[in-house]
Amino acid sequence: MKLYTYDEAPNPKRITYFIKHKGIEIDTVQIDMMKGEHLNASFKEINPLATLPTLITDEGELLTEVIGICCYLEAHFPEKLLMGNSAIEKAQVISWDHRIFMEGFSAIAETLRNKSPAFVNRALPGPLDIPQIPELISRGELRASHFFTVLDQHLASREFMVGDSMSLADIDALTFIGFAKWIKLRIPEECENLTNYHKRMKTLLG
Ligand SMILES: N[C@@H](CCC(=O)N[C@@H](CS)C(=O)NCC(=O)O)C(=O)O
């Protein structure tokens, strides 16, 4: 299999943590998003969506979504399960992954991509050029700030996002906290549960 990635970007980072935690090695190609390499025709031939991460499986199948790539890797490398140890945990990991992506990542991206000159006409990832909408900047900030408190409340009585071991949901939460800095948002002082959790996760996943 071959992984196309860009270490600095948040969605690729989720796969980096996943692979590192499992202790597996995958043939990896860096695509420099800062130089726009993901928009080159040669990369679009590999992934027409022009997004990273991208995994080409040993069977030659294209996987473009982090969640799909993680499902595939979990099935191939079942040591150190990261997507739940039981039926309910599997459901909870997927549910949190979905919420963190929809309510956390997309909120940050809403601000970043509608604000930064680097994303003029690239307000959404993908093959289409989409204009920025400045009105969305403050909405994204509001949504992302609120999501810190969602995570903080969830972690009031838990060490991990799901069950009692590391999962993809923790990888997503840690990556959300790091990505938030891109729009100058940091864990609010009053979110003590999240602050302590962040310290623990950085040590475990770091
Ligand atoms: N739905 C994809 C999203 C992947 C994604 O949006 N990746 C970003 C990098 S963090 C990207 O490729 N952006 C392309 C662009 O900005 O043009 C997933 O779940 O993996």
Side-chain angles (χ1 to χ4, degrees):
M1 63 183 88
K2 188 174 274 193
L3 177 70
Y4 295 85
T5 190
Y6 181 57
D7 281 347
E8 309 309 316
N11 284 300
K13 207 162 259 186
R14 294 156 73 197
I15 299 293
T16 307
Y17 283 134
F18 197 92
I19 289 172
K20 192 173 159 200
H21 184 77
K22 279 191 178 280
I24 56 184
E25 276 183 25
I26 297 179
D27 189 10
T28 297
V29 179
Q30 293 288 325
I31 302 291
D32 192 335
M33 296 187 72
M34 295 302 279
K35 291 187 183 153
E37 285 179 2
H38 60 301
L39 299 172
N40 290 348
S42 56
F43 183 66
K44 282 190 191 160
E45 268 176 35
I46 297 164
N47 175 5
L49 296 181
T51 53
L52 295 166
T54 296
L55 187 80
I56 304 294
T57 71
D58 285 338
E59 303 78 22
E61 297 289 341
L62 165 68
L63 294 174
T64 61
E65 309 304 304
V66 170
I67 190 70
I69 295 172
C70 289
C71 283
Y72 183 81
L73 295 177
E74 181 91 331
H76 271 264
F77 306 100
E79 308 80 19
K80 290 198 182 179
L81 287 176
L82 275 172
M83 298 190 71
N85 297 291
S86 62
I88 184 63
E89 278 188 17
K90 286 177 206 278
Q92 288 166 336
V93 169
I94 293 280
S95 299
W96 273 112
D97 177 83
H98 186 70
R99 283 195 70 183
I100 295 169
F101 188 78
M102 294 302 293
E103 297 172 43
F105 277 60
S106 84
I108 297 166
E110 189 166 76
T111 293
L112 179 70
R113 300 189 74 113
N114 286 292
K115 185 175 185 178
S116 164
F119 290 102
V120 167
N121 226 24
R122 295 290 310 154
L124 291 172
L128 290 183
D129 285 342
I130 308 273
Q132 293 178 316
I133 302 175
E135 288 79 4
L136 291 176
I137 297 169
S138 55
R139 191 180 82 167
E141 275 163 358
L142 183 70
R143 292 172 60 215
S145 302
H146 172 69
F147 199 63
F148 282 121
T149 63
V150 170
L151 293 178
D152 185 67
Q153 281 164 20
H154 180 69
L155 291 162
S157 55
R158 290 178 181 83
E159 202 176 329
F160 295 97
M161 286 296 294
V162 173
D164 54 12
S165 62
M166 176 76 64
S167 73
L168 176 61
D170 297 300
I171 289 174
D172 294 335
L174 180 68
T175 312
F176 162 76
I177 294 166
F179 189 27
K181 290 186 195 148
W182 291 32
I183 59 166
K184 300 186 168 45
L185 285 184
R186 288 189 156 66
I187 301 173
E189 235 168 70
E190 63 274 18
C191 291
E192 282 178 25
N193 306 317
L194 188 58
T195 302
N196 293 333
Y197 166 85
H198 184 220
K199 281 184 199 142
R200 287 199 306 276
M201 286 307 125
K202 270 200 304 190
T203 311
L204 290 174
L205 284 167

